[in-house]
Amino acid sequence: MKLRTFICGLLALAFYNTSYAQDDAMLASIRQRFGLYTERAVQEKLFVHIDRPFYLVGETIWFKAYNLNGATHRFLDLSKVAYLEVLDSENNAVLQTKFAMVDGRGNGSAMVPSTLVSGKYKLRCYTNWMKNFSAESYFETSVAILNPFVRFDPDRASKEETRYDVQFFPEGGHLVSGIESKVAFRAVGVDGKGIKFKGAVLNQQNETVREFEPELNGIGYLKLKPEENAVYKAAITDSKGQRFEYQFPKVEPRGYVMEVKDSTSALVKVTVTGKLESEDPATIYLLAHTRQANAVFGKKGLGKNPAVFVLEKAKLGEGISQITIFNEKLKPVCERLYFKRPEKQLAIDAQVGKSFIGREKVAMNISAAVGQALPAWSNLSVAVYLDDSIQYQPQHDMHSYLWLTADLKGDIENPGYYFQNVNQDTDRQLDNLMLTHGWRRLQWDKVFGGQLVSFEHLPEYDGHFIHARVLNRADGKPAVNKDAYLASLDVPARLYVDRSDNEGRVKFEVRQFTGPKEITLQTDLAYDSTYRFEVATPFSKQFSTTAVPSFFFDKTQENQLLTRSVNMQTGNAFLPRLYTEKKAVLTDSLPFFGVPDEKYFLDDFTRFPTMEEVLREYVKGILVRRRQKEFHLRMIDKLVPNTYYTTDPLMLLDGIPVFDADKIIEMDPLKVKKIELISARYFLGPMTFTGIVSFSTYRGDLSGFELDPKVLVMPYEGVQAQREFYAPKYDSNNANSRIADFRNLLHWAPNVTTGKDGKATVEFYTSDQTGRYKVVIQGITPDGTAGSKTVSFDVRKRSL
């Protein structure tokens, strides 16, 4: 009997140890798979500083983009191209542009089209890599655009039916019968702003179970212990006495409930209560992370008593952390966000006089420090514009955007408030914000899937990607395994090649592709002449759920609008219409094939009347052959003497592939400036060429050469050329110039750098437009500490 008891005890101990080891193995697997995912799924976070939040048609939007690592907020040199769009209320793009990024920074400009109607628009910015993730992660801000030349309704919202968007968010995600839960709520009007109201939770008998009111911006919370099989609804009464009813979250008979709160100043307590199908204890896992970094893992048993996890705040990163509870099958059952206040903020100070006269020089001294003590090197952008009292939404503050707005879903009303006057009230209101604006950044099935996650869109690290499909002209089906060539009339010549996949897709990574160009796309027309191309747009086709705010214009501001309209037209008439563009510096002036083996400048020779004679008499590396009434060119291999290839080389005319040697022979040699040869096998991408012969005309424009009609020729916009902001400079000689200067935007400086002493000086001149001007400065340090500053000054009329 004792022996049997001893053996049973050993078996029980062995079973316990095996189970414990398996649980530990599961926790290690969670840690490993999360680490593998986060290594591949690098998060980019964009912040865009625009010069003004309000524009007239015909004005120019100037912008500066900061591309940061989502986890550390340090500059991220991953994407070299970014995309900026302006969308209307139906997500139609009314303005699109691409611009270059270098070391995580880029800037550009875009003219507001004159065809736009007055209203609010959504400006967004993203990279190709960001298209792999939700559109909620794109940078977005609203801008107001007015068209004073077309009659518009100044207050469309007042004519709309009164309606509110009221939502309820149980902590952790679910209401479970018999378990008390914290339920946050948010109520906003058509303008996206929070409303004041009185509300009540009603049961099936229309009896009031709980009453509630918002605390800030239509946001608050209530506590509710739902009864079994209960169905609730919510009724609210607004400030006008109107009553509305809304659906309340469904009560689940089984499930998990989560509660997160500060235990001490250094600890966070996560309590999980469950009502499960079985009475047997269940295993649950916790994963907390801050923007995919500072991961914390935990495992607990959950039975009749709640499971309690205690997290050290020091192990969590600053900002928003995501806390997720998983069951034993690694399915998420509870989730919520927790905010840890950042310790540092970039303190920016701008010293500028209070009053100036027209056309006076302004010298503004800027200083940057961390914690208002240590001088900091920082990269800043500065905008100085007229505050003409026309109502508009204030711009994002970089500090609050990076720590709050960028990591939450939907529009955050006055995010800067949560970083001011820090106390228990703002901490509680901030926690309510975490409950109402929380969203799943990660798709857990991808994180814990059996295979490494793959991404459709690659980062544009070395150049812009042009995507296209090769299709059969007859039936539109994809053409598989076909060679495709992309080229444009450019100096130096650039040729890009790819081979189509099973879906007919090809991808070209174009480098130094700046400004508007005309590109050509073709297959090898010597063999494949029955295919066509469809070029895909590089702009994102997914959109966030954030609605465009309603449009409102105060009729009392008509005089200011008229003044600004006249000033805009005056500026466009008298100031230089073309902004100074920085000349592109060719780091490599050679064509894509490098230094040629042979080069012939035809002006150095006595001209022959036909190209056949030129090639036969002057160009040693080419043999001209004619078979079955067709010309062919054969290259002599420079590496193997007295050996020539038996197939045509790659023939280029001003960088454009030409597959018909007869057309080359028919060319007028007087139009050709030079001939270059690569006299060996040349490998480009997946293709191999038996040499290259390149013909260049004097102007690089094909000189009237007609391309094959099967070649797709289309305009394509590359990344925009760098433009310098223009502003006149006044001195004693031209201060009294009679040329009108009614600029509303006095200065735009996208790259102001403070030195080790944290100081920089920005100089500009005022215009003839009097009034109060606003200076907005945004910036960040290399270690990810951001800040903003706004100051004002007045401009008075210049005395004659």
Side-chain angles (χ1 to χ4, degrees):
M1 186 68 179
K2 292 182 179 179
L3 180 61
R4 181 181 300 176
T5 304
F6 178 73
I7 292 174
C8 289
L10 286 178
L11 290 175
L13 183 61
F15 176 80
Y16 174 81
N17 287 337
T18 302
S19 175
Y20 184 78
Q22 289 176 346
D23 285 347
D24 281 349
M26 177 64 79
L27 206 59
S29 175
I30 294 173
R31 183 180 289 107
Q32 182 183 24
R33 283 187 275 183
F34 182 75
L36 289 173
Y37 177 85
T38 55
E39 284 180 3
R40 295 173 63 85
V42 177
Q43 295 294 316
E44 290 181 309
K45 184 182 288 188
L46 274 170
F47 176 80
V48 179
H49 178 195
I50 57 176
D51 59 325
R52 292 167 287 182
F54 167 73
Y55 300 92
L56 298 185
V57 294
E59 292 184 335
T60 300
I61 301 174
W62 295 88
F63 57 87
K64 161 73 175 289
Y66 300 80
N67 191 21
L68 310 172
N69 185 306
T72 63
H73 293 168
R74 296 173 181 266
F75 286 112
L76 183 61
D77 189 25
L78 179 63
S79 296
K80 296 298 193 301
V81 180
Y83 303 86
L84 184 134
E85 296 181 281
V86 176
L87 309 177
D88 63 13
S89 58
E90 297 179 352
N91 288 326
N92 298 311
V94 298
L95 188 156
Q96 293 178 322
T97 187
K98 317 175 190 77
F99 62 97
M101 302 281 289
V102 179
D103 297 330
R105 297 180 287 275
N107 62 88
S109 62
M111 179 76 76
V112 179
S114 60
T115 55
L116 298 188
V117 297
S118 300
K120 284 286 188 70
Y121 293 82
K122 183 189 298 183
L123 182 146
R124 69 175 187 169
C125 189
Y126 52 89
T127 65
N128 195 60
W129 176 250
M130 292 172 72
K131 291 192 289 186
N132 291 303
F133 309 98
S134 168
E136 307 289 348
S137 65
Y138 299 172
F139 173 86
E140 288 188 351
T141 187
S142 62
V143 294
I145 297 177
L146 280 181
N147 188 339
F149 309 106
V150 178
R151 185 182 297 275
F152 63 91
D153 187 350
D155 191 6
R156 299 171 191 164
S158 63
K159 297 178 176 60
E160 296 180 4
E161 181 183 357
T162 301
R163 53 187 171 84
Y164 303 115
D165 181 17
V166 181
Q167 299 181 41
F168 297 88
F169 307 87
E171 184 175 15
H174 304 283
L175 281 178
V176 179
S177 62
I179 303 178
E180 185 177 63
S181 292
K182 184 178 182 179
V183 182
F185 56 85
R186 179 174 185 248
V188 297
V190 293
D191 59 353
K193 305 296 183 183
I195 63 170
K196 293 182 179 180
F197 65 90
K198 291 186 178 181
V201 179
L202 309 177
N203 60 19
Q204 290 168 289
Q205 291 75 36
N206 278 333
E207 297 173 339
T208 299
V209 179
R210 284 285 185 277
E211 293 183 346
F212 57 93
E213 290 186 45
E215 185 175 0
L216 176 72
N217 300 331
I219 299 174
Y221 77 92
L222 60 94
K223 287 195 173 182
L224 179 68
K225 187 176 182 180
E227 298 179 356
E228 192 169 355
N229 299 323
V231 177
Y232 299 100
K233 64 181 178 181
I236 70 166
T237 304
D238 65 10
S239 57
K240 299 178 182 179
Q242 295 177 294
R243 188 175 186 273
F244 303 86
E245 290 188 355
Y246 299 90
Q247 187 177 0
F248 205 72
K250 181 182 177 182
V251 178
E252 305 287 347
R254 298 285 185 271
Y256 299 81
V257 171
M258 178 187 198
E259 181 186 35
V260 177
K261 63 180 182 180
D262 289 339
S263 176
T264 66
S265 60
L267 300 175
V268 179
K269 184 169 73 172
V270 180
T271 305
V272 181
T273 307
K275 192 174 181 182
L276 310 178
E277 296 286 348
S278 173
E279 295 184 358
D280 297 333
T283 302
I284 60 173
Y285 300 92
L286 175 143
L287 195 165
H289 65 93
T290 308
R291 301 182 300 280
Q292 299 182 195
N294 300 84
V296 178
F297 304 87
K299 180 196 70 175
K300 293 285 183 180
L302 177 64
K304 295 181 179 180
N305 297 322
V308 179
F309 298 88
V310 179
L311 309 180
E312 297 180 36
K313 288 186 181 180
K315 292 184 178 180
L316 297 176
E318 294 181 334
I320 296 176
S321 295
Q322 181 177 339
I323 304 173
T324 308
I325 303 297
F326 301 89
N327 62 15
E328 65 278 359
K329 296 180 180 180
L330 288 188
K331 299 298 181 183
V333 293
C334 286
E335 189 169 71
R336 72 104 87 190
L337 303 182
Y338 177 82
F339 191 83
K340 177 182 174 181
R341 291 190 177 276
E343 295 181 357
K344 298 186 297 183
Q345 181 174 352
L346 182 64
I348 302 173
D349 189 27
Q351 299 293 330
V352 63
K354 294 183 178 180
S355 180
F356 300 90
I357 61 173
R359 305 193 180 190
E360 182 180 357
K361 184 177 182 178
V362 179
M364 181 170 58
N365 296 317
I366 300 174
S367 62
V370 176
Q372 299 184 5
L374 298 175
W377 182 96
S378 59
N379 186 263
L380 312 172
S381 48
V382 181
V384 185
Y385 60 91
L386 179 66
D387 188 4
D388 49 16
S389 302
I390 298 178
Q391 298 298 315
Y392 47 74
Q393 183 173 325
Q395 297 189 56
H396 284 302
D397 167 85
M398 191 172 186
H399 177 77
S400 61
Y401 178 84
L402 294 180
W403 291 112
L404 206 58
T405 309
D407 295 326
L408 295 178
K409 185 177 180 179
D411 184 48
I412 312 300
E413 186 175 350
N414 192 15
Y417 164 82
Y418 299 97
F419 297 92
Q420 303 165 1
N421 302 321
V422 177
N423 52 42
Q424 290 183 350
D425 290 338
T426 51
D427 286 343
R428 182 180 62 255
Q429 293 158 358
L430 187 54
D431 193 60
N432 291 339
L433 191 71
M434 295 297 104
L435 293 172
T436 58
H437 286 74
W439 63 291
R440 290 186 176 177
R441 176 177 290 275
L442 301 179
Q443 297 180 9
W444 293 113
D445 56 339
K446 292 185 177 180
V447 178
F448 297 132
Q451 299 178 348
L452 287 176
V453 63
S454 59
F455 298 103
E456 178 183 357
H457 304 282
L458 298 177
E460 294 178 313
Y461 181 75
D462 202 25
H464 171 55
F465 288 129
I466 297 179
H467 295 266
R469 293 187 71 198
V470 187
L471 304 174
N472 193 302
R473 290 181 183 272
D475 54 15
K477 292 184 178 180
V480 181
N481 204 32
K482 297 298 178 184
D483 293 342
Y485 303 80
L486 183 147
S488 65
L489 294 175
D490 207 354
V491 178
R494 304 286 181 193
L495 176 66
Y496 307 96
V497 300
D498 197 14
R499 187 164 290 152
S500 61
D501 62 11
N502 292 333
E503 298 295 328
R505 294 173 298 194
V506 289
K507 178 179 72 221
F508 307 97
E509 185 179 25
V510 296
R511 302 174 181 85
Q512 299 177 0
F513 201 76
T514 304
K517 296 184 184 297
E518 203 169 57
I519 63 172
T520 63
L521 277 165
Q522 57 183 311
T523 55
D524 188 341
L525 298 179
Y527 305 100
D528 304 319
S529 59
T530 59
Y531 302 103
R532 63 182 177 86
F533 286 88
E534 286 184 355
V535 179
T537 175
F539 293 94
S540 176
K541 297 179 181 179
Q542 55 179 336
F543 305 97
S544 72
T545 57
T546 305
V548 177
S550 58
F551 174 71
F552 171 78
F553 178 76
D554 189 350
K555 290 184 178 180
T556 62
Q557 305 296 328
E558 287 180 339
N559 290 335
Q560 286 87 339
L561 177 60
L562 177 61
T563 300
R564 180 154 176 176
S565 176
V566 171
N567 292 345
M568 178 269 294
Q569 296 175 73
T570 304
N572 288 343
F574 290 99
L575 295 180
R577 297 183 63 85
L578 294 177
Y579 300 103
T580 302
E581 292 189 2
K582 293 182 178 179
K583 297 295 183 182
V585 178
L586 294 177
T587 55
D588 183 6
S589 59
L590 294 173
F592 70 93
F593 49 77
V595 178
D597 297 321
E598 299 177 33
K599 182 185 294 187
Y600 301 89
F601 286 93
L602 299 192
D603 287 342
D604 295 340
F605 302 89
T606 302
R607 291 285 191 169
F608 281 100
T610 66
M611 184 60 72
E612 180 183 0
E613 292 175 295
V614 170
L615 295 177
R616 287 185 185 277
E617 298 297 332
Y618 294 149
V619 183
K620 298 179 181 179
I622 295 180
L623 300 177
V624 180
R625 296 288 184 264
R626 191 172 187 180
R627 295 177 181 176
Q628 297 179 351
K629 298 182 180 181
E630 292 182 353
F631 282 100
H632 294 277
L633 305 184
R634 297 290 185 259
M635 302 290 293
I636 300 175
D637 195 325
K638 69 171 184 178
L639 301 177
V640 183
N642 302 319
T643 302
Y644 67 91
Y645 297 114
T646 57
T647 57
D648 284 332
L650 174 65
M651 296 174 287
L652 301 173
L653 177 60
D654 289 334
I656 309 297
V658 178
F659 297 97
D660 189 348
D662 288 345
K663 291 188 175 182
I664 296 293
I665 297 298
E666 292 172 1
M667 284 187 61
D668 183 354
L670 296 178
K671 295 181 179 180
V672 177
K673 179 182 179 181
K674 65 179 177 179
I675 301 175
E676 297 171 299
L677 304 182
I678 293 293
S679 303
R681 288 187 181 274
Y682 188 86
F683 299 90
L684 182 63
M687 301 181 193
T688 304
F689 304 107
T690 52
I692 298 175
V693 52
S694 174
F695 300 87
S696 300
T697 62
Y698 285 91
R699 294 185 178 180
D701 59 357
L702 299 180
S703 293
F705 182 87
E706 292 186 7
L707 295 174
D708 192 296
K710 300 183 184 67
V711 178
L712 174 63
V713 182
M714 62 176 291
Y716 195 90
E717 191 79 25
V719 297
Q720 61 175 250
Q722 281 288 311
R723 296 184 176 96
E724 293 182 359
F725 176 77
Y726 172 80
K729 296 181 179 180
Y730 297 108
D731 52 29
S732 58
N733 295 326
N734 63 353
N736 295 319
S737 171
R738 298 180 62 184
I739 298 177
D741 181 5
F742 292 122
R743 290 172 295 128
N744 293 282
L745 180 63
L746 294 185
H747 193 63
W748 168 249
N751 283 301
V752 176
T753 302
T754 57
K756 293 182 178 179
D757 59 355
K759 296 180 180 180
T761 301
V762 173
E763 296 180 345
F764 55 91
Y765 288 86
T766 61
S767 68
D768 297 332
Q769 177 62 44
T770 60
R772 176 166 286 267
Y773 285 81
K774 183 176 289 187
V775 180
V776 178
I777 306 172
Q778 309 270 17
I780 193 167
T781 65
D783 66 355
T785 305
S788 304
K789 182 68 174 180
T790 301
V791 297
S792 300
F793 62 86
D794 295 317
V795 174
R796 295 178 285 104
K797 189 174 182 180
R798 179 184 180 88
S799 59
L800 298 178

